[in-house]
Amino acid sequence: MRMENAEQAKQSETYRAALVDLLYQLADDELCLGHRDSEWLGLAPDIEEDVAFSSIAQDEVGHATYYFNLLHDLGEENPDRIAFAREVKRWRNAVLLERPNGDWAYSIARHLLYDVFDDIRLEAITHSGYRPLAEGARKIRREETYHLQHFRLWFTRLGQAGGEAQERLVQAVNRLWPDVGGLFSLGMYEAALIENGILPMNGEEMRRRWEERIRPVMDEAGIPWPGEISIPRVNGRLGEHTDDLSEMLDTMSEVYRLDPNAVW
């Protein structure tokens, strides 16, 4: 009986660790991208895109907040401390999402590449055995559908425009490509996520489905396929990050650090 209890406890600990790690991946992806989106305020090509990026940024941060609240329900710190007071090595976002915005083509291309991946991940999560996550993913996916449509339209518009617009888009995709593979890493608990029914799809299957969906869009936009996709040397899912994340977090947490105990 003691051995059974010990084994059950071990399984329970593994389940929780895998679930918490996945929730950090989800939340950190959304918060990083939401913050980068917010940096376009006042800088977008026209007022409509100023409004669009502001709205999308709010959605992304709202999704991150939902995941942070699930983490808090599992015993992690309160959402504000999770968002603003964690060490860089505890962040689980893909490195692709911590990179600075670059030019307009770079931001559009990054958003499209991520949003297709996120849609695939969210669809898988709707079948998760962890009910609060599955229920939240259904609502979040409906909202993300509009983001995906928005950035697909921009991507094809830039590519089909030819000239400098297309050249910049090609350059953007080539710059993004070395980091793209990091999206499909599910971290150190991938096997446990699958075995425990938290996530019914592994990273390789996500990559395969992503490629099936991205290739036709790139063909439509006239953008050459850059080549093989591999997990980058710096893997954010394992807590490995660039100085870009440190600098972003310094900016993002500036107000919070003035008084961490304040209630805003």
Side-chain angles (χ1 to χ4, degrees):
M1 182 65 69
R2 288 180 183 175
M3 288 183 64
E4 289 179 2
N5 288 340
E7 184 61 28
Q8 288 172 355
K10 183 178 179 180
Q11 290 176 349
S12 177
E13 290 172 5
T14 301
Y15 179 93
R16 182 188 180 281
L19 176 59
V20 164
D21 196 70
L22 176 62
L23 286 169
Y24 273 120
Q25 292 178 37
L26 293 162
D28 293 349
D29 280 357
E30 294 288 286
L31 187 56
C32 283
L33 191 57
H35 180 80
R36 289 306 189 197
D37 287 348
S38 73
E39 294 177 332
W40 274 108
L41 182 59
L43 300 173
D46 55 48
I47 192 169
E48 290 184 355
E49 280 308 305
D50 258 0
V51 174
F53 258 84
S54 295
S55 177
I56 291 168
Q58 286 183 314
D59 285 347
E60 306 291 15
V61 173
H63 301 162
T65 300
Y66 179 78
Y67 298 131
F68 285 145
N69 281 323
L70 289 183
L71 283 162
H72 189 45
D73 292 343
L74 291 168
E76 297 294 290
E77 295 181 291
N78 72 66
D80 284 344
R81 286 198 58 79
I82 292 174
F84 300 124
R86 260 184 303 154
E87 295 178 285
V88 170
K89 65 183 180 182
R90 292 185 58 205
W91 282 69
R92 293 294 181 264
N93 60 282
V95 167
L96 178 76
L97 305 173
E98 68 196 41
R99 299 295 193 187
N101 283 331
D103 63 9
W104 185 247
Y106 183 94
S107 285
I108 293 297
R110 171 169 62 182
H111 234 299
L112 177 70
L113 299 180
Y114 171 73
D115 284 348
V116 172
F117 159 74
D118 193 38
D119 187 60
I120 293 166
R121 180 173 60 178
L122 285 169
E123 195 279 331
I125 290 173
T126 62
H127 302 287
S128 173
Y130 186 62
R131 186 173 176 180
L133 180 57
E135 292 176 348
R138 293 187 187 98
K139 180 177 184 296
I140 290 171
R141 192 183 183 208
R142 288 195 295 270
E143 295 177 354
E144 291 284 359
T145 297
Y146 297 103
H147 302 181
L148 184 54
Q149 292 172 352
H150 184 82
F151 290 106
R152 175 169 181 160
L153 178 61
W154 260 106
F155 188 89
T156 54
R157 181 187 298 170
L158 289 173
Q160 292 174 356
E164 183 181 357
Q166 187 183 58
E167 290 174 8
R168 283 178 175 263
L169 191 60
V170 170
Q171 292 169 7
V173 170
N174 287 333
R175 284 177 56 204
L176 289 160
W177 213 247
D179 290 328
V180 164
L183 293 171
F184 310 106
S185 169
L186 296 178
M188 66 182 72
Y189 294 103
E190 178 170 357
L193 289 170
I194 305 301
E195 290 168 6
N196 288 279
I198 300 170
L199 194 61
M201 187 187 302
N202 64 25
E204 178 56 29
E205 177 63 15
M206 288 184 189
R207 186 206 59 77
R208 186 187 66 79
R209 296 189 185 193
W210 179 88
E211 186 171 331
E212 286 180 351
R213 289 177 57 179
I214 282 291
R215 277 187 180 271
V217 182
M218 292 180 67
D219 288 343
E220 183 182 358
I223 306 301
W225 189 256
E228 185 180 355
I229 299 168
S230 58
I231 302 299
R233 181 176 56 83
V234 179
N235 186 350
R237 304 298 192 211
L238 301 177
E240 302 165 356
H241 296 282
T242 68
D243 290 340
D244 294 329
L245 180 61
S246 298
E247 293 168 6
M248 189 189 81
L249 295 180
D250 284 344
T251 300
M252 193 171 70
S253 63
E254 185 176 2
V255 174
Y256 175 83
R257 285 184 280 111
L258 292 174
D259 186 357
N261 296 316
V263 178
W264 301 92

